[in-house]
Amino acid sequence: MNRYIVTALALAALATSGCMSPPKDLDLALTRPTVDGKYVVTLQPPAKPAAINQLHAWQMKLTTPAGTPVPSSRIRVDGGMPGHGHGLPTKPQVTRELPDGGYVIEGMKFSMTGWWEIKLAIEGPAGADRVTFNTVVAETGPGR
């Protein structure tokens, strides 16, 4: 019986340690074109990193590839930890629009350190498109 427990714990530790390290070539760019090239999205995280399990807000700017702001779009937010296979612990939403194609995303929360994806599905004047951003939540920092 103890052999099974030790094996299970060893496998759990191995799986966890492998998932905690993001890929070495992970693209952490905060400005990206959407998959079909209809828009360019710039994400802006909070100036001070939020603590683990603390709700916080991000801002995003949506433009055409030529740089023209894109207002009045519908944006759905999703994401999760690819290495762990789970989603965000909350359901963040765009809660208001700012001038010049800006939007506020509220309800963001990260429940642990590591590699997270933030996925945006956009429905705007040029049609539907999507983009995925990578972010790494570190343990260090004044807010953590």
Side-chain angles (χ1 to χ4, degrees):
M1 182 68 147
N2 286 338
R3 185 174 68 200
Y4 295 115
I5 292 172
V6 170
T7 301
L9 289 174
L11 288 173
L14 183 64
T16 302
S17 66
C19 294
M20 298 307 273
S21 301
K24 291 179 180 167
D25 60 347
L26 190 64
D27 185 353
L28 298 173
L30 291 174
T31 298
R32 292 180 163 271
T34 53
V35 171
D36 293 334
K38 295 176 182 173
Y39 308 101
V40 174
V41 180
T42 299
L43 269 183
Q44 182 179 358
K48 179 181 173 187
I52 299 296
N53 285 320
Q54 180 184 40
L55 288 172
H56 58 282
W58 291 49
Q59 290 187 15
M60 64 166 278
K61 184 171 183 171
L62 182 64
T63 67
T64 66
T68 304
V70 179
S72 305
S73 296
R74 291 188 336 171
I75 299 157
R76 286 180 289 121
V77 183
D78 197 4
M81 295 189 84
H84 288 210
H86 62 77
L88 292 168
T90 57
K91 298 199 180 294
Q93 298 180 17
V94 171
T95 56
R96 67 188 142 110
E97 194 171 328
L98 302 172
D100 298 325
Y103 298 85
V104 176
I105 302 170
E106 293 185 296
M108 295 291 292
K109 184 168 104 174
F110 302 113
S111 56
M112 62 180 65
T113 60
W115 170 30
W116 290 83
E117 287 182 333
I118 300 169
K119 299 178 179 183
L120 305 175
I122 301 157
E123 292 181 37
D129 209 343
R130 62 192 190 289
V131 63
T132 299
F133 291 89
N134 297 300
T135 189
V136 175
V137 177
E139 186 70 40
T140 59
R144 296 192 175 126

